[in-house]
């Protein structure tokens, strides 16, 4: 069985000055959780990375950035490079979150370039894929997922280490969650594409579900054979709620 990963994404929320108190509160909730049973990560805004890394140590939570640039340095105002992450001791990043695709023009090609850069540098990426409501209604879910996955898999080998997050865009921040069966259907489809392209990588690849996940729905999602964890936006802002979700994931 793949070990579940419960990942939070603070997006552009909270304040650096509140970060230590967040982790103190989270640690209170998850200190008794068996870490052999669940991995935990938080993707925080770039200005909080150093504080979060320091504060997260006691709670045993990995810290990630929410995006990276594929180039190591240069004239790319506002961007964050992989060497900058490594210098801070950060080894994880999100790539291609739907908000990056929607508001910052990230395409399948840029997502692939970023994934390739992380694989080459030994940084762990959570690469996000997922269809919009309009695409689902037009029956294009499988086509969109295949296109997004093939772009990513083209830069991978069967030995690559990364994570996929399936996040149907219609379920992000809307309160709408895919049913357990809808999530399982999409995850099984994604895994089948990985198997078709890269064989046994499909057996160890963690595929997280994202879209209004919280403590009240995590257990049903994790009961699905192809759901290996969650990427959680809104509900990760509250350390008690996020900690409860982590605890429930460990007891599945
Ligand atoms: C996300 O930010 O990736 C996400 C899934 O958000 P939410 O949990 O708020 O839907």
């Amino acid at each position: 069985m793949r070990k579940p990963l419960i990942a939070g994404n603070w997006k552009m929320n909270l304040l650096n000055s509140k970060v230590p108190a967040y982790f103190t509160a989270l640690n209170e909730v998850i200190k008794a959780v068996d870490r052999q049973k669940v991995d935990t990560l938080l993707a925080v805004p770039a200005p909080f990375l150093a504080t979060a890394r320091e504060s997260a140590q006691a709670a045993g939570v990995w810290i990630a950035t929410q995006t990276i640039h594929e180039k190591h340095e240069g004239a790319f105002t506002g961007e964050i490079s992989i060497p900058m992450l490594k210098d801070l001791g950060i080894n994880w990043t999100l790539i291609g979150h739907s908000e990056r695709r929607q508001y910052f023009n990230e395409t399948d090609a840029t997502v692939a370039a970023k994934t390739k850069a992380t694989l080459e540098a030994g940084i762990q990426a959570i690469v996000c894929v997922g269809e919009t409501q309009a695409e689902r209604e037009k029956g294009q879910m499988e086509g969109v997922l295949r296109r997004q996955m093939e772009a990513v898999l083209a830069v991978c080998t069967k030995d690559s280490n990364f994570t996929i997050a399936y996040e149907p865009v219609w379920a992000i921040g809307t309160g709408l969650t895919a049913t357990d069966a809808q999530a399982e259907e999409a995850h099984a489809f994604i895994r089948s594409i990985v198997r078709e392209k890269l064989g046994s990588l499909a057996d160890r690849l963690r595929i997280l579900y994202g879209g209004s996940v919280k403590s009240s729905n995590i257990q049903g999602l994790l009961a699905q054979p192809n759901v290996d964890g969650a990427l959680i936006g809104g509900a990760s802002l509250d350390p008690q709620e996020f900690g409860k979700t982590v605890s429930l994931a460990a007891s599945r």
Side-chain angles (χ1 to χ4, degrees), residues 9 11 97 167 171-173 210-212 231-234:
N9 173 16
K11 310 192 185 190
H97 189 280
E167 300 208 304
I172 298 180
S212 302
L231 180 54
I232 305 175

Side-chain angles (χ1 to χ4, degrees), residues 168-184:
V169 180
W170 48 271
I172 298 180
T174 58
L176 295 174
T177 316
T179 62
D180 298 341
Q182 283 173 322
E184 172 58 19

Side-chain angles (χ1 to χ4, degrees), residues 10 21 30-31 46 55-56 72 74 109 115 133 141 145 150-151 165 171 184 191 194 205 215 227-228 235 239:
W10 287 355
I30 66 173
K31 63 184 180 207
S55 309
H72 277 195
T115 304
Q133 173 125 39
M141 179 190 87
L145 292 180
E150 284 184 352
E184 172 58 19
R191 203 176 300 284
V194 178
L205 180 73
S215 58
V227 178
D228 308 313

Side-chain angles (χ1 to χ4, degrees), residues 67-72 76 79-80 82 93-96 101 105-123 125 127 148-156:
T67 185
I68 45 98
H69 196 278
E70 61 273 25
K71 293 275 192 326
H72 277 195
F76 301 103
E79 292 292 326
I80 307 160
I82 290 172
T93 185
L94 306 185
I95 293 179
R101 294 181 191 252
N105 305 320
E106 290 194 7
T107 62
D108 291 339
T110 48
V111 170
K114 288 169 193 276
T115 304
K116 183 167 185 282
T118 56
L119 291 170
E120 286 170 357
I123 291 276
V127 185
Q148 294 175 336
M149 285 302 302
E150 284 184 352
V152 173
L153 296 176
V155 300
C156 299

